Tab-separated table of all heavy atoms in Angstrom:
chain	number	residue	atom	x	y	z
A	89	PHE	N	-8.669	-5.750	-24.173
A	89	PHE	CA	-10.071	-5.587	-24.528
A	89	PHE	C	-10.334	-4.230	-25.175
A	89	PHE	O	-11.469	-3.762	-25.205
A	89	PHE	CB	-10.955	-5.758	-23.286
A	89	PHE	CG	-10.801	-7.115	-22.669
A	89	PHE	CD1	-10.060	-7.277	-21.517
A	89	PHE	CD2	-11.363	-8.229	-23.258
A	89	PHE	CE1	-9.893	-8.529	-20.952
A	89	PHE	CE2	-11.207	-9.487	-22.701
A	89	PHE	CZ	-10.464	-9.635	-21.553
A	92	ALA	N	-12.648	-4.901	-28.146
A	92	ALA	CA	-13.832	-5.707	-27.844
A	92	ALA	C	-14.664	-5.143	-26.697
A	92	ALA	O	-15.748	-5.644	-26.419
A	92	ALA	CB	-13.409	-7.140	-27.514
A	93	TRP	N	-14.173	-4.091	-26.016
A	93	TRP	CA	-14.876	-3.600	-24.839
A	93	TRP	C	-16.263	-3.055	-25.177
A	93	TRP	O	-17.201	-3.202	-24.396
A	93	TRP	CB	-14.067	-2.553	-24.092
A	93	TRP	CG	-14.767	-2.107	-22.858
A	93	TRP	CD1	-15.297	-0.885	-22.615
A	93	TRP	CD2	-15.084	-2.910	-21.723
A	93	TRP	NE1	-15.902	-0.862	-21.380
A	93	TRP	CE2	-15.794	-2.107	-20.805
A	93	TRP	CE3	-14.842	-4.235	-21.371
A	93	TRP	CZ2	-16.247	-2.573	-19.586
A	93	TRP	CZ3	-15.299	-4.691	-20.146
A	93	TRP	CH2	-15.990	-3.873	-19.277
A	94	GLY	N	-16.429	-2.452	-26.327
A	94	GLY	CA	-17.743	-1.951	-26.721
A	94	GLY	C	-18.773	-3.064	-26.787
A	94	GLY	O	-19.919	-2.913	-26.343
A	95	VAL	N	-18.367	-4.205	-27.314
A	95	VAL	CA	-19.265	-5.370	-27.401
A	95	VAL	C	-19.572	-5.898	-26.006
A	95	VAL	O	-20.733	-6.174	-25.669
A	95	VAL	CB	-18.622	-6.476	-28.279
A	95	VAL	CG1	-19.456	-7.726	-28.270
A	95	VAL	CG2	-18.387	-5.970	-29.681
A	96	VAL	N	-18.542	-6.007	-25.182
A	96	VAL	CA	-18.733	-6.510	-23.809
A	96	VAL	C	-19.645	-5.566	-23.036
A	96	VAL	O	-20.538	-6.005	-22.302
A	96	VAL	CB	-17.360	-6.663	-23.095
A	96	VAL	CG1	-17.547	-7.004	-21.628
A	96	VAL	CG2	-16.520	-7.723	-23.780
A	97	GLU	N	-19.451	-4.272	-23.225
A	97	GLU	CA	-20.282	-3.293	-22.518
A	97	GLU	C	-21.742	-3.394	-22.965
A	97	GLU	O	-22.651	-3.285	-22.138
A	97	GLU	CB	-19.737	-1.884	-22.770
A	97	GLU	CG	-20.212	-0.889	-21.765
A	97	GLU	CD	-19.431	0.413	-21.852
A	97	GLU	OE1	-18.794	0.685	-22.889
A	97	GLU	OE2	-19.478	1.156	-20.867
A	98	SER	N	-21.972	-3.641	-24.246
A	98	SER	CA	-23.364	-3.808	-24.696
A	98	SER	C	-23.973	-5.076	-24.106
A	98	SER	O	-25.149	-5.099	-23.760
A	98	SER	CB	-23.427	-3.832	-26.229
A	98	SER	OG	-22.804	-4.984	-26.737
A	99	TRP	N	-23.174	-6.144	-23.967
A	99	TRP	CA	-23.665	-7.363	-23.330
A	99	TRP	C	-24.014	-7.081	-21.875
A	99	TRP	O	-25.011	-7.579	-21.349
A	99	TRP	CB	-22.629	-8.470	-23.396
A	99	TRP	CG	-22.393	-9.021	-24.769
A	99	TRP	CD1	-23.185	-8.905	-25.860
A	99	TRP	CD2	-21.257	-9.795	-25.171
A	99	TRP	NE1	-22.622	-9.553	-26.929
A	99	TRP	CE2	-21.433	-10.116	-26.537
A	99	TRP	CE3	-20.112	-10.253	-24.548
A	99	TRP	CZ2	-20.524	-10.861	-27.273
A	99	TRP	CZ3	-19.196	-10.989	-25.272
A	99	TRP	CH2	-19.404	-11.300	-26.614
A	100	LEU	N	-23.172	-6.294	-21.210
A	100	LEU	CA	-23.435	-5.957	-19.802
A	100	LEU	C	-24.680	-5.077	-19.671
A	100	LEU	O	-25.426	-5.207	-18.698
A	100	LEU	CB	-22.219	-5.264	-19.175
A	100	LEU	CG	-21.057	-6.178	-18.812
A	100	LEU	CD1	-19.828	-5.359	-18.455
A	100	LEU	CD2	-21.426	-7.102	-17.670
A	101	ASP	N	-24.887	-4.177	-20.630
A	101	ASP	CA	-26.099	-3.352	-20.593
A	101	ASP	C	-27.348	-4.218	-20.734
A	101	ASP	O	-28.367	-3.974	-20.086
A	101	ASP	CB	-26.069	-2.295	-21.704
A	101	ASP	CG	-25.107	-1.157	-21.391
A	101	ASP	OD1	-24.856	-0.913	-20.195
A	101	ASP	OD2	-24.607	-0.536	-22.340
A	102	ASP	N	-27.270	-5.245	-21.602
A	102	ASP	CA	-28.413	-6.136	-21.811
A	102	ASP	C	-28.635	-7.065	-20.626
A	102	ASP	O	-29.777	-7.326	-20.249
A	102	ASP	CB	-28.213	-6.975	-23.084
A	102	ASP	CG	-28.239	-6.114	-24.341
A	102	ASP	OD1	-28.768	-4.977	-24.279
A	102	ASP	OD2	-27.717	-6.583	-25.375
A	103	ALA	N	-27.546	-7.594	-20.078
A	103	ALA	CA	-27.633	-8.541	-18.948
A	103	ALA	C	-26.586	-8.170	-17.910
A	103	ALA	O	-25.487	-8.743	-17.884
A	103	ALA	CB	-27.437	-9.961	-19.435
A	104	PRO	N	-26.878	-7.205	-17.029
A	104	PRO	CA	-25.865	-6.742	-16.082
A	104	PRO	C	-25.434	-7.766	-15.042
A	104	PRO	O	-24.407	-7.593	-14.393
A	104	PRO	CB	-26.515	-5.535	-15.399
A	104	PRO	CG	-27.929	-5.541	-15.805
A	104	PRO	CD	-28.109	-6.476	-16.936
A	105	THR	N	-26.172	-8.850	-14.888
A	105	THR	CA	-25.786	-9.862	-13.903
A	105	THR	C	-24.874	-10.931	-14.489
A	105	THR	O	-24.512	-11.879	-13.795
A	105	THR	CB	-27.042	-10.538	-13.313
A	105	THR	OG1	-27.800	-11.117	-14.382
A	105	THR	CG2	-27.887	-9.531	-12.551
A	106	SER	N	-24.520	-10.794	-15.760
A	106	SER	CA	-23.614	-11.765	-16.388
A	106	SER	C	-22.272	-11.744	-15.682
A	106	SER	O	-21.767	-10.689	-15.304
A	106	SER	CB	-23.390	-11.422	-17.854
A	106	SER	OG	-24.585	-11.471	-18.575
A	107	THR	N	-21.689	-12.909	-15.526
A	107	THR	CA	-20.375	-12.986	-14.901
A	107	THR	C	-19.300	-12.751	-15.947
A	107	THR	O	-19.526	-12.916	-17.155
A	107	THR	CB	-20.148	-14.368	-14.249
A	107	THR	OG1	-20.138	-15.358	-15.273
A	107	THR	CG2	-21.219	-14.670	-13.218
A	108	ALA	N	-18.131	-12.381	-15.497
A	108	ALA	CA	-17.017	-12.162	-16.411
A	108	ALA	C	-16.626	-13.461	-17.104
A	108	ALA	O	-16.201	-13.456	-18.262
A	108	ALA	CB	-15.825	-11.583	-15.655
A	109	LYS	N	-16.813	-14.574	-16.422
A	109	LYS	CA	-16.494	-15.870	-17.018
A	109	LYS	C	-17.414	-16.157	-18.205
A	109	LYS	O	-16.975	-16.627	-19.255
A	109	LYS	CB	-16.607	-16.968	-15.959
A	109	LYS	CG	-16.006	-18.277	-16.360
A	109	LYS	CD	-15.965	-19.226	-15.186
A	109	LYS	CE	-15.200	-20.468	-15.552
A	109	LYS	NZ	-15.049	-21.368	-14.433
A	110	GLU	N	-18.705	-15.849	-18.027
A	110	GLU	CA	-19.652	-16.032	-19.130
A	110	GLU	C	-19.307	-15.113	-20.301
A	110	GLU	O	-19.352	-15.520	-21.464
A	110	GLU	CB	-21.084	-15.731	-18.655
A	110	GLU	CG	-21.619	-16.707	-17.653
A	110	GLU	CD	-22.908	-16.230	-17.002
A	110	GLU	OE1	-23.306	-15.058	-17.210
A	110	GLU	OE2	-23.517	-17.027	-16.275
A	111	LEU	N	-18.940	-13.876	-19.983
A	111	LEU	CA	-18.577	-12.926	-21.029
A	111	LEU	C	-17.310	-13.369	-21.759
A	111	LEU	O	-17.206	-13.228	-22.980
A	111	LEU	CB	-18.380	-11.537	-20.429
A	111	LEU	CG	-19.613	-10.898	-19.793
A	111	LEU	CD1	-19.243	-9.632	-19.058
A	111	LEU	CD2	-20.685	-10.642	-20.836
A	112	MET	N	-16.374	-13.939	-21.026
A	112	MET	CA	-15.140	-14.436	-21.642
A	112	MET	C	-15.451	-15.605	-22.568
A	112	MET	O	-14.857	-15.725	-23.651
A	112	MET	CB	-14.147	-14.854	-20.547
A	112	MET	CG	-12.751	-15.104	-21.037
A	112	MET	SD	-11.961	-13.548	-21.436
A	112	MET	CE	-11.050	-14.031	-22.874
A	114	ARG	N	-18.244	-16.066	-24.218
A	114	ARG	CA	-18.857	-15.483	-25.411
A	114	ARG	C	-17.815	-14.833	-26.309
A	114	ARG	O	-17.867	-14.963	-27.534
A	114	ARG	CB	-19.923	-14.460	-25.017
A	114	ARG	CG	-21.171	-15.109	-24.427
A	114	ARG	CD	-22.170	-14.078	-23.973
A	114	ARG	NE	-22.834	-13.443	-25.103
A	114	ARG	CZ	-23.788	-12.530	-24.976
A	114	ARG	NH1	-24.181	-12.146	-23.761
A	114	ARG	NH2	-24.345	-11.986	-26.034
A	115	LEU	N	-16.858	-14.146	-25.691
A	115	LEU	CA	-15.800	-13.508	-26.480
A	115	LEU	C	-14.931	-14.535	-27.197
A	115	LEU	O	-14.554	-14.347	-28.349
A	115	LEU	CB	-14.911	-12.650	-25.581
A	115	LEU	CG	-15.271	-11.199	-25.409
A	115	LEU	CD1	-14.312	-10.518	-24.451
A	115	LEU	CD2	-15.287	-10.468	-26.734
A	131	THR	N	-8.291	-10.004	-16.056
A	131	THR	CA	-8.362	-8.622	-16.528
A	131	THR	C	-9.803	-8.244	-16.822
A	131	THR	O	-10.254	-7.147	-16.465
A	131	THR	CB	-7.496	-8.458	-17.795
A	131	THR	OG1	-6.159	-8.863	-17.490
A	131	THR	CG2	-7.497	-7.022	-18.276
A	132	LEU	N	-10.537	-9.152	-17.459
A	132	LEU	CA	-11.950	-8.895	-17.754
A	132	LEU	C	-12.746	-8.766	-16.456
A	132	LEU	O	-13.631	-7.915	-16.344
A	132	LEU	CB	-12.525	-9.992	-18.640
A	132	LEU	CG	-13.976	-9.795	-19.081
A	132	LEU	CD1	-14.126	-8.518	-19.888
A	132	LEU	CD2	-14.457	-10.993	-19.876
A	133	GLN	N	-12.435	-9.574	-15.466
A	133	GLN	CA	-13.125	-9.472	-14.179
A	133	GLN	C	-12.908	-8.102	-13.555
A	133	GLN	O	-13.846	-7.496	-13.017
A	133	GLN	CB	-12.626	-10.567	-13.226
A	133	GLN	CG	-13.100	-11.948	-13.593
A	133	GLN	CD	-12.412	-13.037	-12.785
A	133	GLN	OE1	-11.309	-12.846	-12.265
A	133	GLN	NE2	-13.056	-14.191	-12.691
A	134	ARG	N	-11.693	-7.579	-13.633
A	134	ARG	CA	-11.416	-6.248	-13.099
A	134	ARG	C	-12.188	-5.172	-13.867
A	134	ARG	O	-12.709	-4.239	-13.269
A	134	ARG	CB	-9.916	-5.958	-13.156
A	134	ARG	CG	-9.105	-6.738	-12.164
A	134	ARG	CD	-7.642	-6.290	-12.183
A	134	ARG	NE	-6.832	-7.203	-11.433
A	134	ARG	CZ	-6.024	-8.126	-11.950
A	134	ARG	NH1	-5.917	-8.237	-13.254
A	134	ARG	NH2	-5.333	-8.920	-11.189
A	135	ARG	N	-12.204	-5.294	-15.189
A	135	ARG	CA	-12.920	-4.307	-16.008
A	135	ARG	C	-14.423	-4.338	-15.710
A	135	ARG	O	-15.065	-3.297	-15.622
A	135	ARG	CB	-12.695	-4.578	-17.501
A	135	ARG	CG	-11.283	-4.366	-17.997
A	135	ARG	CD	-10.934	-2.896	-18.198
A	135	ARG	NE	-11.762	-2.209	-19.148
A	135	ARG	CZ	-11.491	-2.030	-20.431
A	135	ARG	NH1	-10.381	-2.520	-20.940
A	135	ARG	NH2	-12.309	-1.360	-21.213
A	136	VAL	N	-14.991	-5.538	-15.561
A	136	VAL	CA	-16.424	-5.664	-15.254
A	136	VAL	C	-16.712	-5.079	-13.878
A	136	VAL	O	-17.712	-4.386	-13.666
A	136	VAL	CB	-16.884	-7.140	-15.364
A	136	VAL	CG1	-18.273	-7.336	-14.787
A	136	VAL	CG2	-16.824	-7.596	-16.809
A	137	LYS	N	-15.816	-5.321	-12.927
A	137	LYS	CA	-15.988	-4.768	-11.584
A	137	LYS	C	-15.982	-3.240	-11.630
A	137	LYS	O	-16.821	-2.586	-10.993
A	137	LYS	CB	-14.866	-5.268	-10.673
A	137	LYS	CG	-14.944	-4.775	-9.261
A	137	LYS	CD	-13.797	-5.318	-8.435
A	137	LYS	CE	-13.852	-4.793	-7.024
A	137	LYS	NZ	-12.731	-5.283	-6.213
A	138	ALA	N	-15.069	-2.656	-12.385
A	138	ALA	CA	-15.013	-1.201	-12.518
A	138	ALA	C	-16.264	-0.670	-13.220
A	138	ALA	O	-16.810	0.375	-12.840
A	138	ALA	CB	-13.751	-0.794	-13.278
A	139	TRP	N	-16.740	-1.382	-14.239
A	139	TRP	CA	-17.948	-0.973	-14.951
A	139	TRP	C	-19.142	-0.965	-14.001
A	139	TRP	O	-19.933	-0.026	-13.997
A	139	TRP	CB	-18.194	-1.920	-16.132
A	139	TRP	CG	-19.406	-1.590	-16.924
A	139	TRP	CD1	-19.507	-0.714	-17.955
A	139	TRP	CD2	-20.722	-2.142	-16.742
A	139	TRP	NE1	-20.793	-0.678	-18.428
A	139	TRP	CE2	-21.565	-1.549	-17.699
A	139	TRP	CE3	-21.262	-3.078	-15.864
A	139	TRP	CZ2	-22.913	-1.862	-17.799
A	139	TRP	CZ3	-22.607	-3.377	-15.961
A	139	TRP	CH2	-23.425	-2.778	-16.924
A	140	ARG	N	-19.262	-2.028	-13.200
A	140	ARG	CA	-20.373	-2.106	-12.247
A	140	ARG	C	-20.286	-1.007	-11.190
A	140	ARG	O	-21.308	-0.457	-10.775
A	140	ARG	CB	-20.404	-3.483	-11.589
A	140	ARG	CG	-20.887	-4.541	-12.541
A	140	ARG	CD	-21.094	-5.870	-11.860
A	140	ARG	NE	-21.662	-6.811	-12.805
A	140	ARG	CZ	-21.228	-8.035	-12.992
A	140	ARG	NH1	-20.221	-8.494	-12.272
A	140	ARG	NH2	-21.797	-8.821	-13.887
A	141	ALA	N	-19.076	-0.685	-10.754
A	141	ALA	CA	-18.908	0.388	-9.769
A	141	ALA	C	-19.360	1.725	-10.352
A	141	ALA	O	-20.026	2.516	-9.680
A	141	ALA	CB	-17.455	0.468	-9.314
A	142	GLU	N	-19.008	1.978	-11.607
A	142	GLU	CA	-19.438	3.222	-12.263
A	142	GLU	C	-20.952	3.266	-12.404
A	142	GLU	O	-21.576	4.305	-12.174
A	142	GLU	CB	-18.791	3.356	-13.642
A	142	GLU	CG	-17.379	3.866	-13.601
A	142	GLU	CD	-17.276	5.247	-12.972
A	142	GLU	OE1	-18.045	6.150	-13.358
A	142	GLU	OE2	-16.421	5.418	-12.093
A	143	LYS	N	-21.546	2.147	-12.793
A	143	LYS	CA	-23.006	2.105	-12.937
A	143	LYS	C	-23.686	2.310	-11.572
A	143	LYS	O	-24.718	2.973	-11.479
A	143	LYS	CB	-23.464	0.785	-13.559
A	143	LYS	CG	-23.063	0.634	-15.004
A	143	LYS	CD	-23.718	1.714	-15.845
A	143	LYS	CE	-23.247	1.622	-17.274
A	143	LYS	NZ	-23.795	2.673	-18.128
A	144	ALA	N	-23.120	1.748	-10.519
A	144	ALA	CA	-23.685	1.928	-9.178
A	144	ALA	C	-23.591	3.391	-8.751
A	144	ALA	O	-24.539	3.935	-8.165
A	144	ALA	CB	-22.951	1.034	-8.169
A	147	LEU	N	-26.286	5.225	-10.516
A	147	LEU	CA	-27.603	4.953	-9.934
A	147	LEU	C	-27.810	5.697	-8.621
A	147	LEU	O	-28.880	6.236	-8.355
A	147	LEU	CB	-27.799	3.455	-9.710
A	147	LEU	CG	-28.063	2.607	-10.956
A	147	LEU	CD1	-28.054	1.131	-10.581
A	147	LEU	CD2	-29.390	2.978	-11.577
Side-chain angles (χ1 to χ4, degrees):
F89 300 104
W93 182 248
V95 174
V96 173
E97 199 168 19
S98 67
W99 290 342
L100 284 169
D101 285 334
D102 293 340
T105 58
S106 298
T107 64
K109 194 171 187 176
E110 293 168 351
L111 297 171
M112 193 73 218
R114 289 176 73 178
L115 268 178
T131 304
L132 183 61
Q133 288 170 337
R134 288 186 191 104
R135 293 282 300 265
V136 169
K137 180 180 179 181
W139 180 86
R140 287 187 175 133
E142 279 300 311
K143 291 298 176 183
L147 286 173

